Amino acid sequence: LQKSLSETFGADQYSRARKEVLTYMFSRPMQMALYFCTGVLKDETLFHHYALNVPFYTHFTSPIRRYADIVVHRLLSASLGARSPLKMEKEAIQKQADHCNDRKMASKRVQELSADLFFSIFVRVRP
C-alpha cells in the first residue's frame, strides 16, 4: 500500500502534503489496540497481533509514559520471577485496562478535534 501510494503522489510541491493527508485518512479507520487482561479472556485467538501475525503479543513502552505500561512491566517481572506477583485480581486488572482504553480513546478524539480546529482556522485565514 505504501509503495502504491508513493507512486501516485507525484513530485510537485504538494506531493508530501498529499501523502501525509492520504496516509492519515487510510490509517484513521484502523482499529486501535486495546489493553486487556488475558486472565479475563477465554479465547486465546484474541491475543493475536494481526499486522505482525504472531499468536501471542504484548506491547509496552517505557513505564514512565503510561500507567498501562507500568502494569505490563510489573506483570512481566513477576512472571520472570524478578519480583513478587501483583496482589490484584484479574477483574481489577481488567478494570484498569478498561480505564486506560477509555482515556486513550478520549485523548485520540481530542487530538483529532484539535487537528480539525487547526485546519478550520488555516482555511479561514487563507483566502
Side-chain angles (χ1 to χ4, degrees), residues 30-76:
M30 291 180 164
Q31 182 180 5
M32 284 182 58
L34 297 175
Y35 296 109
F36 62 91
C37 177
T38 58
V40 173
L41 300 177
K42 303 298 181 213
D43 183 3
E44 288 188 358
T45 63
L46 295 173
F47 306 166
H48 181 261
H49 190 287
Y50 176 78
L52 297 176
N53 195 25
V54 293
F56 296 100
Y57 178 81
T58 190
H59 169 81
F60 57 90
T61 61
S62 169
I64 63 171
R65 293 190 59 206
R66 294 184 292 246
Y67 178 71
D69 298 323
I70 293 171
V71 173
V72 172
H73 274 256
R74 290 176 181 168
L75 290 168
L76 286 173

mmCIF file of all heavy atoms in Angstrom, residues 30-76:
data_model
loop_
_atom_site.group_PDB
_atom_site.id
_atom_site.type_symbol
_atom_site.label_atom_id
_atom_site.label_comp_id
_atom_site.label_asym_id
_atom_site.label_seq_id
_atom_site.Cartn_x
_atom_site.Cartn_y
_atom_site.Cartn_z
ATOM 1 N N MET A 30 -8.465 2.304 11.025
ATOM 2 C CA MET A 30 -7.943 1.066 11.590
ATOM 3 C C MET A 30 -8.278 0.982 13.081
ATOM 4 O O MET A 30 -8.262 1.982 13.779
ATOM 5 C CB MET A 30 -6.433 0.973 11.403
ATOM 6 C CG MET A 30 -6.006 0.794 9.981
ATOM 7 S SD MET A 30 -4.211 0.710 9.916
ATOM 8 C CE MET A 30 -4.000 0.027 8.308
ATOM 9 N N GLN A 31 -8.552 -0.210 13.522
ATOM 10 C CA GLN A 31 -8.902 -0.415 14.916
ATOM 11 C C GLN A 31 -7.689 -0.146 15.804
ATOM 12 O O GLN A 31 -6.588 -0.613 15.539
ATOM 13 C CB GLN A 31 -9.383 -1.843 15.133
ATOM 14 C CG GLN A 31 -9.807 -2.124 16.553
ATOM 15 C CD GLN A 31 -10.284 -3.545 16.729
ATOM 16 O OE1 GLN A 31 -10.214 -4.353 15.832
ATOM 17 N NE2 GLN A 31 -10.766 -3.842 17.908
ATOM 18 N N MET A 32 -7.916 0.615 16.864
ATOM 19 C CA MET A 32 -6.843 0.883 17.816
ATOM 20 C C MET A 32 -6.610 -0.344 18.684
ATOM 21 O O MET A 32 -7.525 -1.108 18.957
ATOM 22 C CB MET A 32 -7.213 2.062 18.723
ATOM 23 C CG MET A 32 -7.100 3.401 18.062
ATOM 24 S SD MET A 32 -7.479 4.770 19.173
ATOM 25 C CE MET A 32 -6.306 4.545 20.478
ATOM 26 N N ALA A 33 -5.384 -0.496 19.111
ATOM 27 C CA ALA A 33 -5.059 -1.583 20.032
ATOM 28 C C ALA A 33 -5.734 -1.315 21.372
ATOM 29 O O ALA A 33 -5.899 -0.171 21.788
ATOM 30 C CB ALA A 33 -3.553 -1.671 20.213
ATOM 31 N N LEU A 34 -6.137 -2.380 22.024
ATOM 32 C CA LEU A 34 -6.790 -2.263 23.324
ATOM 33 C C LEU A 34 -6.004 -3.031 24.371
ATOM 34 O O LEU A 34 -5.452 -4.088 24.092
ATOM 35 C CB LEU A 34 -8.216 -2.821 23.257
ATOM 36 C CG LEU A 34 -9.185 -2.111 22.333
ATOM 37 C CD1 LEU A 34 -10.506 -2.864 22.295
ATOM 38 C CD2 LEU A 34 -9.405 -0.673 22.785
ATOM 39 N N TYR A 35 -5.982 -2.469 25.565
ATOM 40 C CA TYR A 35 -5.410 -3.175 26.696
ATOM 41 C C TYR A 35 -6.455 -4.133 27.242
ATOM 42 O O TYR A 35 -7.643 -3.808 27.283
ATOM 43 C CB TYR A 35 -5.032 -2.191 27.804
ATOM 44 C CG TYR A 35 -3.956 -1.216 27.425
ATOM 45 C CD1 TYR A 35 -4.241 0.134 27.229
ATOM 46 C CD2 TYR A 35 -2.639 -1.638 27.279
ATOM 47 C CE1 TYR A 35 -3.248 1.029 26.894
ATOM 48 C CE2 TYR A 35 -1.638 -0.743 26.938
ATOM 49 C CZ TYR A 35 -1.956 0.587 26.754
ATOM 50 O OH TYR A 35 -0.958 1.468 26.422
ATOM 51 N N PHE A 36 -6.012 -5.329 27.639
ATOM 52 C CA PHE A 36 -6.928 -6.267 28.286
ATOM 53 C C PHE A 36 -6.144 -7.226 29.157
ATOM 54 O O PHE A 36 -4.941 -7.410 28.974
ATOM 55 C CB PHE A 36 -7.772 -7.042 27.255
ATOM 56 C CG PHE A 36 -6.964 -7.887 26.311
ATOM 57 C CD1 PHE A 36 -6.682 -9.215 26.614
ATOM 58 C CD2 PHE A 36 -6.501 -7.368 25.114
ATOM 59 C CE1 PHE A 36 -5.940 -9.994 25.740
ATOM 60 C CE2 PHE A 36 -5.758 -8.141 24.238
ATOM 61 C CZ PHE A 36 -5.475 -9.465 24.550
ATOM 62 N N CYS A 37 -6.823 -7.806 30.098
ATOM 63 C CA CYS A 37 -6.224 -8.791 30.989
ATOM 64 C C CYS A 37 -6.458 -10.172 30.390
ATOM 65 O O CYS A 37 -7.603 -10.578 30.192
ATOM 66 C CB CYS A 37 -6.845 -8.692 32.381
ATOM 67 S SG CYS A 37 -6.222 -9.937 33.525
ATOM 68 N N THR A 38 -5.388 -10.884 30.089
ATOM 69 C CA THR A 38 -5.531 -12.187 29.440
ATOM 70 C C THR A 38 -6.288 -13.176 30.314
ATOM 71 O O THR A 38 -6.929 -14.076 29.797
ATOM 72 C CB THR A 38 -4.157 -12.788 29.086
ATOM 73 O OG1 THR A 38 -3.379 -12.904 30.279
ATOM 74 C CG2 THR A 38 -3.445 -11.934 28.068
ATOM 75 N N GLY A 39 -6.241 -13.008 31.616
ATOM 76 C CA GLY A 39 -6.955 -13.916 32.511
ATOM 77 C C GLY A 39 -8.461 -13.786 32.437
ATOM 78 O O GLY A 39 -9.192 -14.664 32.892
ATOM 79 N N VAL A 40 -8.946 -12.704 31.844
ATOM 80 C CA VAL A 40 -10.382 -12.482 31.718
ATOM 81 C C VAL A 40 -10.913 -13.069 30.409
ATOM 82 O O VAL A 40 -12.048 -13.525 30.331
ATOM 83 C CB VAL A 40 -10.703 -10.969 31.804
ATOM 84 C CG1 VAL A 40 -12.160 -10.684 31.518
ATOM 85 C CG2 VAL A 40 -10.324 -10.440 33.180
ATOM 86 N N LEU A 41 -10.074 -13.087 29.368
ATOM 87 C CA LEU A 41 -10.499 -13.584 28.060
ATOM 88 C C LEU A 41 -10.226 -15.081 27.943
ATOM 89 O O LEU A 41 -9.137 -15.544 28.255
ATOM 90 C CB LEU A 41 -9.768 -12.842 26.942
ATOM 91 C CG LEU A 41 -9.980 -11.335 26.891
ATOM 92 C CD1 LEU A 41 -9.146 -10.733 25.778
ATOM 93 C CD2 LEU A 41 -11.437 -10.999 26.697
ATOM 94 N N LYS A 42 -11.195 -15.808 27.498
ATOM 95 C CA LYS A 42 -11.043 -17.259 27.341
ATOM 96 C C LYS A 42 -10.554 -17.634 25.945
ATOM 97 O O LYS A 42 -9.965 -18.678 25.754
ATOM 98 C CB LYS A 42 -12.378 -17.971 27.622
ATOM 99 C CG LYS A 42 -12.945 -17.683 28.991
ATOM 100 C CD LYS A 42 -12.012 -18.155 30.091
ATOM 101 C CE LYS A 42 -12.622 -17.863 31.448
ATOM 102 N NZ LYS A 42 -11.639 -17.547 32.443
ATOM 103 N N ASP A 43 -10.802 -16.783 24.971
ATOM 104 C CA ASP A 43 -10.448 -17.067 23.589
ATOM 105 C C ASP A 43 -9.036 -16.563 23.298
ATOM 106 O O ASP A 43 -8.813 -15.372 23.137
ATOM 107 C CB ASP A 43 -11.463 -16.395 22.656
ATOM 108 C CG ASP A 43 -11.215 -16.695 21.190
ATOM 109 O OD1 ASP A 43 -10.285 -17.476 20.873
ATOM 110 O OD2 ASP A 43 -11.958 -16.150 20.351
ATOM 111 N N GLU A 44 -8.066 -17.478 23.226
ATOM 112 C CA GLU A 44 -6.673 -17.081 23.025
ATOM 113 C C GLU A 44 -6.411 -16.499 21.639
ATOM 114 O O GLU A 44 -5.382 -15.863 21.423
ATOM 115 C CB GLU A 44 -5.729 -18.258 23.289
ATOM 116 C CG GLU A 44 -5.621 -18.606 24.748
ATOM 117 C CD GLU A 44 -4.551 -19.642 25.028
ATOM 118 O OE1 GLU A 44 -3.897 -20.129 24.077
ATOM 119 O OE2 GLU A 44 -4.363 -19.967 26.204
ATOM 120 N N THR A 45 -7.329 -16.677 20.695
ATOM 121 C CA THR A 45 -7.130 -16.069 19.378
ATOM 122 C C THR A 45 -7.204 -14.544 19.465
ATOM 123 O O THR A 45 -6.721 -13.854 18.578
ATOM 124 C CB THR A 45 -8.158 -16.575 18.345
ATOM 125 O OG1 THR A 45 -9.473 -16.194 18.757
ATOM 126 C CG2 THR A 45 -8.062 -18.078 18.183
ATOM 127 N N LEU A 46 -7.785 -14.024 20.552
ATOM 128 C CA LEU A 46 -7.859 -12.579 20.728
ATOM 129 C C LEU A 46 -6.503 -11.979 21.108
ATOM 130 O O LEU A 46 -6.325 -10.769 21.081
ATOM 131 C CB LEU A 46 -8.899 -12.219 21.800
ATOM 132 C CG LEU A 46 -10.338 -12.588 21.442
ATOM 133 C CD1 LEU A 46 -11.263 -12.342 22.618
ATOM 134 C CD2 LEU A 46 -10.813 -11.820 20.220
ATOM 135 N N PHE A 47 -5.524 -12.824 21.454
ATOM 136 C CA PHE A 47 -4.189 -12.350 21.794
ATOM 137 C C PHE A 47 -3.344 -12.137 20.533
ATOM 138 O O PHE A 47 -2.230 -11.644 20.611
ATOM 139 C CB PHE A 47 -3.448 -13.357 22.683
ATOM 140 C CG PHE A 47 -4.181 -13.772 23.930
ATOM 141 C CD1 PHE A 47 -3.753 -14.872 24.641
ATOM 142 C CD2 PHE A 47 -5.282 -13.084 24.409
ATOM 143 C CE1 PHE A 47 -4.403 -15.278 25.794
ATOM 144 C CE2 PHE A 47 -5.942 -13.482 25.562
ATOM 145 C CZ PHE A 47 -5.498 -14.574 26.254
ATOM 146 N N HIS A 48 -3.861 -12.535 19.403
ATOM 147 C CA HIS A 48 -3.144 -12.492 18.119
ATOM 148 C C HIS A 48 -2.928 -11.044 17.679
ATOM 149 O O HIS A 48 -3.802 -10.196 17.830
ATOM 150 C CB HIS A 48 -3.982 -13.232 17.072
ATOM 151 C CG HIS A 48 -3.344 -13.289 15.729
ATOM 152 N ND1 HIS A 48 -3.682 -12.424 14.722
ATOM 153 C CD2 HIS A 48 -2.409 -14.117 15.211
ATOM 154 C CE1 HIS A 48 -2.978 -12.713 13.639
ATOM 155 N NE2 HIS A 48 -2.190 -13.732 13.919
ATOM 156 N N HIS A 49 -1.745 -10.770 17.140
ATOM 157 C CA HIS A 49 -1.468 -9.458 16.563
ATOM 158 C C HIS A 49 -1.580 -9.597 15.050
ATOM 159 O O HIS A 49 -0.784 -10.296 14.423
ATOM 160 C CB HIS A 49 -0.066 -8.982 16.961
ATOM 161 C CG HIS A 49 0.192 -7.561 16.598
ATOM 162 N ND1 HIS A 49 0.401 -7.147 15.301
ATOM 163 C CD2 HIS A 49 0.267 -6.452 17.369
ATOM 164 C CE1 HIS A 49 0.607 -5.843 15.278
ATOM 165 N NE2 HIS A 49 0.524 -5.395 16.528
ATOM 166 N N TYR A 50 -2.570 -8.933 14.465
ATOM 167 C CA TYR A 50 -2.869 -9.096 13.054
ATOM 168 C C TYR A 50 -1.703 -8.681 12.163
ATOM 169 O O TYR A 50 -1.255 -9.450 11.302
ATOM 170 C CB TYR A 50 -4.127 -8.290 12.689
ATOM 171 C CG TYR A 50 -4.451 -8.329 11.223
ATOM 172 C CD1 TYR A 50 -5.063 -9.447 10.662
ATOM 173 C CD2 TYR A 50 -4.116 -7.274 10.388
ATOM 174 C CE1 TYR A 50 -5.347 -9.505 9.315
ATOM 175 C CE2 TYR A 50 -4.397 -7.324 9.029
ATOM 176 C CZ TYR A 50 -5.014 -8.434 8.506
ATOM 177 O OH TYR A 50 -5.287 -8.490 7.180
ATOM 178 N N ALA A 51 -1.192 -7.465 12.340
ATOM 179 C CA ALA A 51 -0.155 -6.951 11.446
ATOM 180 C C ALA A 51 1.157 -7.719 11.564
ATOM 181 O O ALA A 51 1.841 -7.948 10.573
ATOM 182 C CB ALA A 51 0.083 -5.466 11.719
ATOM 183 N N LEU A 52 1.510 -8.127 12.772
ATOM 184 C CA LEU A 52 2.756 -8.871 12.966
ATOM 185 C C LEU A 52 2.579 -10.371 12.735
ATOM 186 O O LEU A 52 3.559 -11.095 12.618
ATOM 187 C CB LEU A 52 3.297 -8.644 14.383
ATOM 188 C CG LEU A 52 3.680 -7.208 14.721
ATOM 189 C CD1 LEU A 52 4.098 -7.103 16.179
ATOM 190 C CD2 LEU A 52 4.789 -6.721 13.810
ATOM 191 N N ASN A 53 1.333 -10.817 12.717
ATOM 192 C CA ASN A 53 0.999 -12.223 12.529
ATOM 193 C C ASN A 53 1.706 -13.120 13.555
ATOM 194 O O ASN A 53 2.370 -14.094 13.198
ATOM 195 C CB ASN A 53 1.305 -12.692 11.101
ATOM 196 C CG ASN A 53 0.638 -14.020 10.802
ATOM 197 O OD1 ASN A 53 -0.371 -14.362 11.406
ATOM 198 N ND2 ASN A 53 1.198 -14.772 9.888
ATOM 199 N N VAL A 54 1.548 -12.741 14.814
ATOM 200 C CA VAL A 54 2.066 -13.563 15.908
ATOM 201 C C VAL A 54 0.887 -13.954 16.803
ATOM 202 O O VAL A 54 -0.023 -13.153 17.018
ATOM 203 C CB VAL A 54 3.173 -12.847 16.724
ATOM 204 C CG1 VAL A 54 4.424 -12.648 15.892
ATOM 205 C CG2 VAL A 54 2.693 -11.531 17.278
ATOM 206 N N PRO A 55 0.891 -15.196 17.297
ATOM 207 C CA PRO A 55 -0.268 -15.671 18.066
ATOM 208 C C PRO A 55 -0.414 -15.030 19.444
ATOM 209 O O PRO A 55 -1.524 -14.833 19.921
ATOM 210 C CB PRO A 55 -0.036 -17.169 18.179
ATOM 211 C CG PRO A 55 1.430 -17.351 17.999
ATOM 212 C CD PRO A 55 1.890 -16.242 17.099
ATOM 213 N N PHE A 56 0.695 -14.716 20.097
ATOM 214 C CA PHE A 56 0.653 -14.087 21.421
ATOM 215 C C PHE A 56 1.482 -12.818 21.372
ATOM 216 O O PHE A 56 2.618 -12.821 20.899
ATOM 217 C CB PHE A 56 1.214 -15.028 22.497
ATOM 218 C CG PHE A 56 0.396 -16.260 22.667
ATOM 219 C CD1 PHE A 56 0.781 -17.451 22.079
ATOM 220 C CD2 PHE A 56 -0.779 -16.240 23.402
ATOM 221 C CE1 PHE A 56 0.018 -18.589 22.212
ATOM 222 C CE2 PHE A 56 -1.554 -17.372 23.550
ATOM 223 C CZ PHE A 56 -1.155 -18.554 22.958
ATOM 224 N N TYR A 57 0.904 -11.735 21.863
ATOM 225 C CA TYR A 57 1.576 -10.455 21.741
ATOM 226 C C TYR A 57 1.274 -9.606 22.964
ATOM 227 O O TYR A 57 0.160 -9.593 23.469
ATOM 228 C CB TYR A 57 1.079 -9.729 20.483
ATOM 229 C CG TYR A 57 1.681 -8.361 20.297
ATOM 230 C CD1 TYR A 57 2.953 -8.222 19.743
ATOM 231 C CD2 TYR A 57 0.996 -7.226 20.690
ATOM 232 C CE1 TYR A 57 3.523 -6.972 19.574
ATOM 233 C CE2 TYR A 57 1.564 -5.966 20.519
ATOM 234 C CZ TYR A 57 2.824 -5.852 19.970
ATOM 235 O OH TYR A 57 3.380 -4.613 19.801
ATOM 236 N N THR A 58 2.275 -8.917 23.439
ATOM 237 C CA THR A 58 2.068 -7.877 24.443
ATOM 238 C C THR A 58 2.854 -6.660 24.000
ATOM 239 O O THR A 58 3.854 -6.780 23.292
ATOM 240 C CB THR A 58 2.488 -8.331 25.859
ATOM 241 O OG1 THR A 58 2.038 -7.351 26.795
ATOM 242 C CG2 THR A 58 3.983 -8.509 25.977
ATOM 243 N N HIS A 59 2.375 -5.525 24.394
ATOM 244 C CA HIS A 59 3.012 -4.282 23.993
ATOM 245 C C HIS A 59 3.225 -3.423 25.223
ATOM 246 O O HIS A 59 2.387 -3.348 26.096
ATOM 247 C CB HIS A 59 2.118 -3.524 23.010
ATOM 248 C CG HIS A 59 2.594 -2.122 22.778
ATOM 249 N ND1 HIS A 59 3.608 -1.825 21.910
ATOM 250 C CD2 HIS A 59 2.223 -0.948 23.331
ATOM 251 C CE1 HIS A 59 3.833 -0.521 21.923
ATOM 252 N NE2 HIS A 59 3.001 0.027 22.781
ATOM 253 N N PHE A 60 4.377 -2.790 25.269
ATOM 254 C CA PHE A 60 4.620 -1.794 26.300
ATOM 255 C C PHE A 60 5.755 -0.900 25.860
ATOM 256 O O PHE A 60 6.541 -1.255 24.991
ATOM 257 C CB PHE A 60 4.929 -2.437 27.655
ATOM 258 C CG PHE A 60 6.099 -3.379 27.619
ATOM 259 C CD1 PHE A 60 7.382 -2.921 27.857
ATOM 260 C CD2 PHE A 60 5.904 -4.728 27.341
ATOM 261 C CE1 PHE A 60 8.458 -3.794 27.831
ATOM 262 C CE2 PHE A 60 6.980 -5.595 27.317
ATOM 263 C CZ PHE A 60 8.265 -5.127 27.553
ATOM 264 N N THR A 61 5.783 0.267 26.440
ATOM 265 C CA THR A 61 6.881 1.188 26.195
ATOM 266 C C THR A 61 7.507 1.483 27.551
ATOM 267 O O THR A 61 7.300 0.752 28.508
ATOM 268 C CB THR A 61 6.375 2.490 25.537
ATOM 269 O OG1 THR A 61 5.448 3.112 26.423
ATOM 270 C CG2 THR A 61 5.710 2.220 24.205
ATOM 271 N N SER A 62 8.219 2.552 27.624
ATOM 272 C CA SER A 62 8.827 2.933 28.891
ATOM 273 C C SER A 62 7.738 3.100 29.950
ATOM 274 O O SER A 62 6.710 3.733 29.703
ATOM 275 C CB SER A 62 9.575 4.256 28.717
ATOM 276 O OG SER A 62 9.947 4.766 29.973
ATOM 277 N N PRO A 63 7.947 2.553 31.137
ATOM 278 C CA PRO A 63 6.897 2.661 32.163
ATOM 279 C C PRO A 63 6.709 4.071 32.707
ATOM 280 O O PRO A 63 5.821 4.297 33.508
ATOM 281 C CB PRO A 63 7.375 1.703 33.261
ATOM 282 C CG PRO A 63 8.828 1.559 33.051
ATOM 283 C CD PRO A 63 9.075 1.737 31.575
ATOM 284 N N ILE A 64 7.509 5.023 32.274
ATOM 285 C CA ILE A 64 7.282 6.406 32.722
ATOM 286 C C ILE A 64 6.243 7.101 31.851
ATOM 287 O O ILE A 64 5.820 8.211 32.154
ATOM 288 C CB ILE A 64 8.591 7.230 32.744
ATOM 289 C CG1 ILE A 64 9.181 7.363 31.344
ATOM 290 C CG2 ILE A 64 9.587 6.640 33.708
ATOM 291 C CD1 ILE A 64 10.347 8.333 31.234
ATOM 292 N N ARG A 65 5.825 6.455 30.769
ATOM 293 C CA ARG A 65 4.895 7.099 29.838
ATOM 294 C C ARG A 65 3.434 6.878 30.180
ATOM 295 O O ARG A 65 2.635 7.793 30.159
ATOM 296 C CB ARG A 65 5.163 6.604 28.410
ATOM 297 C CG ARG A 65 6.514 7.067 27.894
ATOM 298 C CD ARG A 65 6.681 6.806 26.432
ATOM 299 N NE ARG A 65 5.636 7.492 25.689
ATOM 300 C CZ ARG A 65 5.200 7.086 24.508
ATOM 301 N NH1 ARG A 65 5.710 6.021 23.940
ATOM 302 N NH2 ARG A 65 4.264 7.738 23.877
ATOM 303 N N ARG A 66 3.056 5.636 30.466
ATOM 304 C CA ARG A 66 1.649 5.316 30.685
ATOM 305 C C ARG A 66 1.506 4.316 31.828
ATOM 306 O O ARG A 66 2.353 3.440 32.020
ATOM 307 C CB ARG A 66 1.029 4.724 29.427
ATOM 308 C CG ARG A 66 0.936 5.684 28.272
ATOM 309 C CD ARG A 66 0.215 5.037 27.109
ATOM 310 N NE ARG A 66 1.015 3.971 26.547
ATOM 311 C CZ ARG A 66 1.546 3.989 25.330
ATOM 312 N NH1 ARG A 66 1.378 5.015 24.560
ATOM 313 N NH2 ARG A 66 2.233 2.966 24.891
ATOM 314 N N TYR A 67 0.405 4.439 32.550
ATOM 315 C CA TYR A 67 0.150 3.533 33.659
ATOM 316 C C TYR A 67 0.048 2.089 33.164
ATOM 317 O O TYR A 67 0.561 1.178 33.808
ATOM 318 C CB TYR A 67 -1.121 3.933 34.405
ATOM 319 C CG TYR A 67 -1.448 2.988 35.519
ATOM 320 C CD1 TYR A 67 -0.662 2.962 36.670
ATOM 321 C CD2 TYR A 67 -2.507 2.097 35.421
ATOM 322 C CE1 TYR A 67 -0.929 2.075 37.691
ATOM 323 C CE2 TYR A 67 -2.784 1.212 36.444
ATOM 324 C CZ TYR A 67 -1.995 1.206 37.576
ATOM 325 O OH TYR A 67 -2.267 0.329 38.583
ATOM 326 N N ALA A 68 -0.589 1.890 32.033
ATOM 327 C CA ALA A 68 -0.730 0.526 31.496
ATOM 328 C C ALA A 68 0.631 -0.124 31.293
ATOM 329 O O ALA A 68 0.796 -1.330 31.516
ATOM 330 C CB ALA A 68 -1.509 0.553 30.190
ATOM 331 N N ASP A 69 1.614 0.654 30.888
ATOM 332 C CA ASP A 69 2.962 0.117 30.690
ATOM 333 C C ASP A 69 3.609 -0.284 32.012
ATOM 334 O O ASP A 69 4.352 -1.260 32.077
ATOM 335 C CB ASP A 69 3.835 1.129 29.954
ATOM 336 C CG ASP A 69 3.289 1.447 28.569
ATOM 337 O OD1 ASP A 69 2.774 0.511 27.923
ATOM 338 O OD2 ASP A 69 3.354 2.601 28.152
ATOM 339 N N ILE A 70 3.309 0.455 33.060
ATOM 340 C CA ILE A 70 3.810 0.084 34.391
ATOM 341 C C ILE A 70 3.247 -1.276 34.790
ATOM 342 O O ILE A 70 3.970 -2.153 35.274
ATOM 343 C CB ILE A 70 3.428 1.151 35.438
ATOM 344 C CG1 ILE A 70 4.171 2.446 35.157
ATOM 345 C CG2 ILE A 70 3.712 0.653 36.856
ATOM 346 C CD1 ILE A 70 3.698 3.619 36.002
ATOM 347 N N VAL A 71 1.949 -1.456 34.563
ATOM 348 C CA VAL A 71 1.307 -2.735 34.915
ATOM 349 C C VAL A 71 1.927 -3.874 34.113
ATOM 350 O O VAL A 71 2.251 -4.934 34.668
ATOM 351 C CB VAL A 71 -0.224 -2.666 34.689
ATOM 352 C CG1 VAL A 71 -0.867 -4.030 34.891
ATOM 353 C CG2 VAL A 71 -0.854 -1.641 35.617
ATOM 354 N N VAL A 72 2.136 -3.677 32.815
ATOM 355 C CA VAL A 72 2.738 -4.724 31.983
ATOM 356 C C VAL A 72 4.148 -5.050 32.476
ATOM 357 O O VAL A 72 4.515 -6.217 32.604
ATOM 358 C CB VAL A 72 2.756 -4.320 30.487
ATOM 359 C CG1 VAL A 72 3.554 -5.314 29.666
ATOM 360 C CG2 VAL A 72 1.329 -4.219 29.955
ATOM 361 N N HIS A 73 4.931 -4.038 32.781
ATOM 362 C CA HIS A 73 6.283 -4.273 33.298
ATOM 363 C C HIS A 73 6.235 -5.086 34.592
ATOM 364 O O HIS A 73 7.015 -6.019 34.777
ATOM 365 C CB HIS A 73 7.000 -2.943 33.544
ATOM 366 C CG HIS A 73 7.683 -2.392 32.344
ATOM 367 N ND1 HIS A 73 9.042 -2.458 32.176
ATOM 368 C CD2 HIS A 73 7.194 -1.778 31.245
ATOM 369 C CE1 HIS A 73 9.364 -1.894 31.028
ATOM 370 N NE2 HIS A 73 8.261 -1.465 30.447
ATOM 371 N N ARG A 74 5.329 -4.721 35.484
ATOM 372 C CA ARG A 74 5.224 -5.436 36.755
ATOM 373 C C ARG A 74 4.787 -6.879 36.547
ATOM 374 O O ARG A 74 5.315 -7.795 37.195
ATOM 375 C CB ARG A 74 4.259 -4.710 37.685
ATOM 376 C CG ARG A 74 4.802 -3.396 38.188
ATOM 377 C CD ARG A 74 3.796 -2.645 39.017
ATOM 378 N NE ARG A 74 4.349 -1.372 39.472
ATOM 379 C CZ ARG A 74 3.621 -0.417 40.023
ATOM 380 N NH1 ARG A 74 2.318 -0.565 40.191
ATOM 381 N NH2 ARG A 74 4.196 0.704 40.408
ATOM 382 N N LEU A 75 3.827 -7.100 35.659
ATOM 383 C CA LEU A 75 3.367 -8.460 35.398
ATOM 384 C C LEU A 75 4.456 -9.312 34.751
ATOM 385 O O LEU A 75 4.642 -10.474 35.117
ATOM 386 C CB LEU A 75 2.110 -8.436 34.519
ATOM 387 C CG LEU A 75 0.848 -7.904 35.190
ATOM 388 C CD1 LEU A 75 -0.243 -7.649 34.151
ATOM 389 C CD2 LEU A 75 0.355 -8.867 36.255
ATOM 390 N N LEU A 76 5.168 -8.745 33.789
ATOM 391 C CA LEU A 76 6.264 -9.488 33.158
ATOM 392 C C LEU A 76 7.385 -9.779 34.155
ATOM 393 O O LEU A 76 7.940 -10.884 34.168
ATOM 394 C CB LEU A 76 6.811 -8.729 31.951
ATOM 395 C CG LEU A 76 5.921 -8.739 30.712
ATOM 396 C CD1 LEU A 76 6.489 -7.819 29.639
ATOM 397 C CD2 LEU A 76 5.759 -10.140 30.169
#
